[in-house]
Structure formats: C-alpha cells, structure tokens
C-alpha cells in the first residue's frame, strides 16, 4: 500500500494538483503515518474531493460515478445492511449475477473490501465516488439516522406493543441511538439552511419535513421510526426542558445548540394530534439578523424608509402573512436605531433575537401579561423607541397608537394581505379613523421570494403571458432562470429576498382614512401617487435577474 500511495503522490504532482513540499508538510505528522494520502490532502484543503476522485479514477483506471444522478438498485440496497454501509462508508449501486457494484472513496483500503465481501457474501465490483456523496446517498436511500434507528428497534423488539410509561420514555429519550437520530436531524436541517423542521405523526408512518427558502421538502427517514416517535418527541422535550409526561396540551420551549462554532436558538412547538404529538422546530441563528441594506428594499423605498425611521414619533406597521419576514424587517430598523442615546423597549411573543442594548419583554398571557398590559408598563420607563411584536386586538391597537401620539416612535406588525389592508384591519378592530390618520406614518407590506441560484443561472426568453400577468407593455429581451444543480438541490433557487409595497399616509391618504374609505380606494389613490404593488416591485427584481416571474406570482 505504501508503494501505491507513493506512486499516487507522484501522479498528483505530475498533474499539477499539489507540490512535493505541500505533501511533505501534511504527511510529516505522526498521526497521518497510516492514513490515506488523498484523505489527508482533502482534509488540509490542498485538494477538493472532486479533484481527488477524478485523479484516482484516472490513476487506477476505475469508473467514477455521481451517486445523485444514478438509479439505485433496490435489491442491492437490501443486500447491504445500513450498519455495514455506514460503518465502512460505502454505498451499494447495483446487484447483477451475484456481483455487487459498490461505491467507495478509498480504493486502497483492501481490508475493508475483504470484510465487506464476507459480510454480504458476494463478489464486489468497486467504483469511485466522493465521500460526501456516499454519506448523502446513505441518508437519502436508507433514511436519516437509519443505523441508529435500526439498532434501537432491534433492542426493543421484544417489548410488548403498549404505550410506554413516562419514566420508560424518559429513559429511552436519553438512549444513545435516539440522541444520535435527533442530532442528525438537526445537523441535516442546519446544513440545508432550513428555517423549520417538522415531525408529523400519522397512523402508520412519521413524516419529517424541512422548510428551505420557504418551501417544504421531505427528509427520508427509516420506516421503523414510527414505533419510536414518542421517544424522539421526548428527547426533544428533554432538550427544550418541557414536561415529557404531558401529551394532551400544546407546549412551547427553546433549545440552544452550537454547531461548528455557531450558536443557534431553536424554538420548539409541540401540538397534540390524533396519532401523537407533532413537533415544529424553528431554527434561528445570528445570521438571520439583517441591516436595512440587506433587506432587499428597492433604492427609492430604502431612502424613504430611512427617512421614516428617523422621525421622532409615529407608527410604522410592517404587514404580511406568517413567514413573510416581518420580524426581520422590524429588527433591522431597531438595530439601525440602537444607539447609547436611545432607550428602546420591546414586547414580543416570542422574543426571536436577543439584541444587546435593547430591553426586551416576553408576554405571558397565563399570568396576565398581555401586549396591552406590557405597553402600559413600558411607557413608565420613558422609552424613545418601542416595538410591539403584533397588534392583535383593539385594546393593543389603541394603546400603541396613543403611545405614538405622546412622542414615541413605534414599530409593530399586522397580518394583512397588502399595505392598504392595514388601514382596514385597524378600523375593523375599532380604532377611530382620526387616530389612524394622525399617528401612522406608513404601512410596509412584504413577501419573500426565492433568489435564482448563482451557480446555475442562465438567460432565457420570457413568455408572452407575462405581459398580462404583470400588466406591462413590453417584454425584456431575456430573463434569468436557474437550471438546477447540487448547490441548490436541483431547485434553481438558493436564498431569499423580499419584495415590498410601501404605503405612506400623506394628506390625500389621510383624507380617505378619515372618510373610512375602502382598502381598494386607498390602494388606487396610492398607485396614482406612484406606489408600486408587490407584483410590480417583484417585476423589478425579475428585470434585474434576481428572481423569476413564477416566484413573484407564487407569493403575490
């Protein structure tokens, strides 16, 4: 093997991939004495995994395959237990005439090939694949944490099929296999840039999904996981310090974890359902905090908005449905104003991000601390800027508005479909029109659209139907689309940005509010004064090659 590795080193040098000095520098370490040279070089960043595998394929004259693009043989999967695949980091590709084609990353590990030959009892035909590709294929086709789940199912298979007691579930929740499975789920979601992880129990199965860039994708898990559903839920409850014995009522909690130096805050919500408890884990990270320049506001909107938040008093409402990024926008405004000379108080449900320099309060309805009650107490602290997480009722709306009239700048959110709907929502809550007209500075409606992947974006000709959908007179020469690649998981999109609709309450709009005009009348007047609708603002992003027409139409 040493002789082969020596030839491989020279082969890599001749190809210009590395130098002898670089190899000597990383291989002089004692701990690498028996290691595969390719692994050491990739771990030290001297080669990419793709470069190494292609070089190995040429050097050994062995086939190289991309596992994500092949159709896997079910018979081959059944022949190789998940424990063998995970332990030896290999993946079965096809089984034909008692010959098993397997994908491996280290072709010099003869001992592994001999051991696997004995375990699967058939002749092996190795092909090369990236180590990362192999791990991803194992997760995709066997399911996340399949090895751990199989071990735990086998260890509990002799138990009677009855609902376990709380103390039994507590012990099972701390079992190594369950801990490993939950950790793998969380790690998979974080690596995929997911914002939510959902565990949904059904009569015969448990479905696991993650939300990436606003779209739900199913995560493959072992079929046996349904029998361990309560143990998984209990493990999550233990991490969130919730009551594992309570299964009839909803529960909410938080988990703090650290992955590769980054601290993440997980918001956990447990809901009782007909077939067990459903779990939603909202994944929050410090990277979720943006500044005004990163919000995706068009330049004219951003200049106007910066002028608005510089005012000494008044209310700015950010509107939109759940998951449209309202809190992110409000936090960006507060971060801009967060200076030693300003007193900023917030009341939220829940507090999503803890920001140094701001006094943040969590509502507790069970003990009588509502938004309205908290607002009354906040005023005694003489704040300069206030943030109310959400205006949900008439009492909160009136106190919020009166707070702005007494010299405070207030930020809050509303659930409405567009900016003009914010006026109608406040009036429906019983707020007097003169209070709305005299206190509200603006309504900013927003939606999140997916951004075209930078790795696979290509120009294409626009469809004529866009002229009708977006009410435009002339089509552009071309627009951009993503073809789909490994970086964006084949979707053509990676990341999100916001589109906006900014309604300023100037004199004409205030007059309509005082007359209790409908949302349609207010929107029509705002458009005459130059307000872009969500769809029109989205079209500007299409022209700039940021997103696609279909994505704008999906959310607006």
């Amino acid at each position: 093997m040493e002789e082969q590795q020596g030839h491989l080193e020279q082969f890599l040098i001749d190809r210009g991939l590395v130098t002898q000095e670089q190899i000597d520098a990383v291989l002089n370490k004692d701990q690498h004495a028996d290691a595969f040279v390719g692994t050491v070089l990739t771990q030290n960043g001297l080669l990419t995994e793709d470069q190494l595998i292609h070089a190995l394929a040429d050097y050994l004259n062995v086939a190289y395959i991309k596992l994500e693009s092949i159709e896997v043989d079910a018979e081959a999967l059944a022949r190789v237990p998940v424990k063998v695949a995970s332990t030896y980091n290999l993946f079965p590709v096809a089984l034909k005439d008692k010959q098993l084609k397997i994908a491996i990353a280290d072709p010099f590990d003869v001992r592994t090939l001999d051991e696997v030959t004995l375990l699967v009892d058939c002749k092996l035909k190795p092909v090369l694949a990236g180590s990362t590709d192999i791990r991803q294929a194992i997760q995709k086709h066997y399911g996340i944490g399949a090895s751990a789940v199989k071990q735990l199912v086998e260890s509990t298979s002799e138990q009677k099929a009855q609902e376990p007691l709380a103390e039994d579930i507590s012990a099972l929740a701390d079992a190594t296999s369950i801990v490993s499975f939950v950790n793998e789920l969380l790690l998979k979601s974080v690596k995929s840039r997911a914002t939510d992880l959902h565990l949904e129990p059904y009569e015969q199965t448990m479905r696991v999904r993650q939300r990436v860039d606003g779209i739900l994708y199913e995560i493959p898990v072992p079929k046996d996981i349904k029998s361990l559903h309560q143990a998984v839920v209990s493990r999550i409850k233990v991490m969130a310090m919730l009551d594992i014995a309570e299964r009839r009522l909803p529960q909410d909690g938080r988990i703090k974890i650290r992955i590769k130096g980054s601290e993440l805050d997980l918001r956990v919500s447990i809901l009782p359902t007909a077939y067990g408890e459903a779990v939603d884990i909202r994944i929050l990270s410090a990277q979720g905090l943006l500044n005004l320049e990163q919000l995706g506001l068009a330049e004219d909107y951003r200049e106007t908005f910066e002028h608005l938040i510089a005012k000494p008093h008044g209310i700015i409402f950010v509107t939109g449905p759940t998951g449209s990024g309202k809190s992110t926008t409000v936090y960006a405004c507060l971060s801009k104003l967060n200076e030693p000379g300003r007193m900023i108080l917030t009341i939220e449900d829940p507090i999503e991000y803890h920001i140094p320099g701001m006094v943040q309060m969590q509502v507790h309805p069970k003990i009588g601390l509502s938004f309205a009650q908290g607002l009354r107490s906040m005023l005694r602290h003489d704040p300069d800027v206030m943030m109310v997480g959400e205006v949900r009722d008439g009492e909160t709306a009136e106190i919020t508005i009166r707070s702005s009239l007494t010299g405070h700048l207030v930020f809050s959110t509303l659930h409405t479909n567009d900016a003009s709907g914010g006026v109608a929502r406040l009036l429906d809550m019983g707020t007097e029109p003169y209070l709305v007209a005299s206190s509200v500075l603006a309504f900013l409606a927003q939606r999140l659209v997916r951004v075209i992947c930078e790795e696979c974006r290509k120009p294409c000709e626009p469809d004529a139907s866009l002229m009708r959908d977006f009410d435009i007179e002339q089509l552009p020469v071309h627009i951009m689309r993503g073809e789909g690649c490994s970086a964006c998981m084949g979707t053509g999109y990676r990341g999100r940005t916001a589109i906006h609709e900014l309604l300023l309450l100037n004199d004409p709009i205030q007059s309509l509010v005082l007359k209790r005009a409908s949302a349609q009348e207010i929107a029509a007047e705002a458009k005459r004064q130059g307000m872009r609708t969500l769809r029109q603002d989205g079209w500007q992003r299409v022209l700039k090659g940021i997103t696609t027409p279909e994505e704008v139409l999906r959310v607006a």
Side-chain angles (χ1 to χ4, degrees), residues 53 88-91 102-108 112-113 126-130 134:
I53 293 299
Y88 295 102
N89 196 33
L90 56 85
F91 187 77
I102 61 166
I104 58 173
D106 181 0
F108 297 113
T112 289
L113 295 176
V127 294
L128 289 176
I134 291 173

Side-chain angles (χ1 to χ4, degrees), residues 2-3 6 10 84 103 105 124 164 166 193 198 243 259 299 335 344 360 393 415 418 464 510 540:
E2 288 183 7
E3 184 179 350
Q10 190 60 48
V84 172
L124 299 184
R193 301 177 297 106
H198 298 273
D243 184 358
I259 296 179
E299 188 174 348
S335 297
I344 302 178
Q360 298 171 267
D393 53 62
H415 283 89
D418 53 21
Q510 287 176 347
Q540 299 299 315

Side-chain angles (χ1 to χ4, degrees), residues 324-338:
S324 59
K326 300 186 298 297
S327 297
T328 300
T329 298
V330 171
Y331 277 117
C333 296
L334 295 176
S335 297
K336 180 83 171 179
L337 298 171
N338 190 12

